[in-house]
Amino acid sequence: MTYLRAIGRALALAAFALLSWFDVLIQLATFALLCVGLVFFFGPAVLWARGRSATMRALAARWCGIEIPAPYRPAPPEPVRERDGWYRDGKQLYKRAFWIRWQHRLTWAMEDPATGREFTWQLVNPLVTVLLPVAVLLGGPLVLRGYGRWTRWWLGPRPPAEPRKNWLHRHLESIGHQAGLFAVSVVQLVFAIFQLVVMVFFRPMATPVVLANRTITDTLRREAGNWTGVTIARPYLPPPRLPVPRADGLYQSGNQLYEEPFWPVQHARTRWVYRDRATWRDLAGGLLVPLVSFVLILPTVALASRGLIGLAALWIWRPFVSPRIDWPPFPEVSTHLGALAQTPVMLAMVVAGLAAAPWLARQQARFARVWFGPTESTRLAQRVERLKQTRSDVTVTQAAELRRIERDLHDGIQSRLVAMGMKLGAVEALVDTDPAAAKRLAAELRASSSEALTELRVLIRGIHPPVLSERGLLDAVRAMALDSPLKTEVTGSLPGRVEEPVEACAYFAVSELLGNAAKHGAKRVSIEVGFADELLTMVVTDDGPGGANPARGSGLRGIERRLGGFDGRLTLTSPIGGPTKATLEIPCQLDPEPSSPKTNTSSGTA
């Protein structure tokens, strides 16, 4: 009776698992809508699919005897109304909390690692459960318990520091990445054709259509980097500035004058879109990338699917449905011995299809980078525009820093020196008439001078820490980690001393990030320092609650302004629930001074 019940449960699990493919189709369709700007469907589709996963966890507990807790990150908190009645999200204000709540829940669902694991499980689980009844027929209820453990590995919670993925997991993910890149490129193909028609026949409507289609291309660039590690930068020229009125108050566009800036702005934006080579490269890539992606995904799909279908035909279809399998170019199979002889061939086809998937996915992304990445002229134009923008920020920051130093000197050291001068005058007046009082004042002067010296040292440390000048950036960061209240680990190495201004910039940026981590409740912080290809990289990761946004505070904006003076960049990844990862990248060169000490220690923990 127990044996029959186990077989019935295996059949029920197999039937229920086939519904997962329906969830996959719904999520792919809503993701395609997300790429074109219809953002309201993907989040509910993901949350709806979680309901089926919850049912599977309950069935695994009831039928397989394996309890599987929910693996999801905590849901984002409800938006808080401010005193003036508005809800704030970054720099945007809303009268109602609906949009903020929906946007946070979408981000929460998309950035949760459990979402990606569930999607992969929805693809793979039906293939596994097809063989489950046969396995239960051979192995009994014990096989059901093994299936429950396998389900827990996919759908159960995992520690924050996940172990390294095994070979099968990595290559199955790569197949998903190939399919994802192909799906996004097909969506881009459809809209590239529409964009081309608009640009040729409906020129006044071209600018908004082109800008809308660029969001699809941005999605492909972003996911190519996330999935394959092939970074594709945005290649577009900076948008035109707002027109400046002439002396007579009119706005000029070509040889035409306008009273309002609307039409000059529209003409400038149209010229900007048409003259940008990246616009035409996007169109060419939109036509070519889907074709190349299809060619590159074909070997993986053909080999893996042919092998899996062959295994199913040999060991499921042949024993229970048809006694003979005739599938050219392989010989006809009618016995278990013949099926056993062809099984290694089918397994080899599956392994070959999986083995090629990561390399083929990277080739897809690299071909996309050829068309959707920046050219040398575009990089130069982007860098010039970025330097123009950061130049004013650096000027403002330097002026504010000088005012701070002036204020600290005026309110602190200067006032103490004035008080000490007055006490010295009193000592001169009392030294002959009241030596005891003069001695007391001299003792107070000694204490005041010690306090003034301490305050001056603190001020100097805030301007440029002595340890930074003496030991270099890496040891200065380690010293900072020792003073931090957090459990801080510093790893990495530097082949020498970088330029002093860059050292100071990186040091104070890391100091600000450590302060933010401590302020928002983090317990552990890791700092990784590296230098390669004339680029200083520092990665600061904390286990805080996440949700950091440069638009919400002055600290991260200050770091961006500080890095901007050196053409550096801050990249922040901070999903709700954590962890927060900040990457600082600063182009620089090593200090050529021979007296600079070489820093090559590998790690340190505070």
Side-chain angles (χ1 to χ4, degrees), residues 21 116-128 150 153-154 158 165-181 227-228 297 300-301 303-305 308 349-359 361 364:
W21 279 346
R117 295 201 307 270
E118 277 189 353
F119 184 80
T120 308
W121 175 81
Q122 290 161 4
L123 286 172
V124 176
N125 186 56
L127 300 175
V128 173
W150 185 82
W153 185 81
W154 280 104
R158 296 188 184 182
K165 298 175 183 176
N166 57 34
W167 185 92
L168 180 61
H169 191 181
R170 292 197 311 272
H171 287 72
L172 286 175
E173 276 192 345
S174 296
I175 294 178
H177 298 160
Q178 281 190 277
L181 290 175
W227 293 341
T228 67
I297 201 176
T300 299
V301 174
L303 288 172
S305 62
L308 290 174
M349 294 177 70
V350 174
V351 172
L354 293 175
W359 183 82
Q364 285 180 250

Side-chain angles (χ1 to χ4, degrees), residues 495-566:
R497 291 288 296 270
V498 298
E499 300 161 334
E500 288 189 3
V502 175
E503 281 187 338
C505 172
Y507 177 87
F508 286 111
V510 172
S511 176
E512 180 70 27
L513 291 172
L514 281 179
N516 286 346
K519 182 170 64 176
H520 292 94
K523 303 298 182 185
R524 301 182 63 89
V525 177
S526 65
I527 305 173
E528 183 179 353
V529 184
F531 182 89
D533 298 328
E534 298 186 351
L535 184 70
L536 174 66
T537 304
M538 306 186 75
V539 182
V540 182
T541 307
D542 67 69
D543 60 352
N549 188 346
R552 296 181 183 175
S554 59
L556 295 174
R557 287 288 299 135
I559 294 176
E560 288 181 337
R561 287 194 296 267
R562 187 186 294 273
L563 297 178
F566 298 90

Side-chain angles (χ1 to χ4, degrees), residues 306 326-332 342:
R306 177 67 177 85
D326 186 9
W327 199 347
F330 301 103
E332 180 182 302
Q342 287 193 15

Side-chain angles (χ1 to χ4, degrees), residues 42-110:
F42 184 71
V46 172
L47 297 179
W48 179 66
R50 286 185 176 184
R52 202 177 307 280
S53 300
T55 304
M56 180 58 74
R57 284 192 290 270
L59 293 178
R62 185 184 307 168
W63 291 349
C64 305
I66 301 296
E67 294 290 337
I68 307 178
Y72 313 114
R73 290 175 175 173
E78 287 293 315
V80 179
R81 187 192 296 267
E82 297 190 347
R83 290 174 133 187
D84 55 2
W86 291 86
Y87 293 92
R88 178 179 175 181
D89 185 36
K91 293 183 178 181
Q92 191 70 33
L93 296 176
Y94 299 90
K95 262 297 184 187
R96 302 182 184 279
F98 167 77
W99 175 255
I100 301 177
R101 185 185 300 111
W102 177 88
Q103 191 175 19
H104 286 181
R105 288 184 67 82
L106 174 64
T107 304
W108 164 64
M110 290 184 64

Side-chain angles (χ1 to χ4, degrees), residues 11 22 30 46 53 85 88 96 112 188 196 210-211 253 264 269 305 310 354 384 404 411 432 446 467 510 518 557:
L11 290 171
F22 178 72
T30 53
V46 172
S53 300
R88 178 179 175 181
R96 302 182 184 279
D112 194 337
Q188 188 191 24
L196 182 60
V210 170
L211 295 181
S253 177
R269 287 169 63 84
S305 62
L354 293 175
V384 169
R404 182 189 69 82
D411 298 340
D432 295 327
R446 186 181 301 109
V467 66
V510 172
R557 287 288 299 135

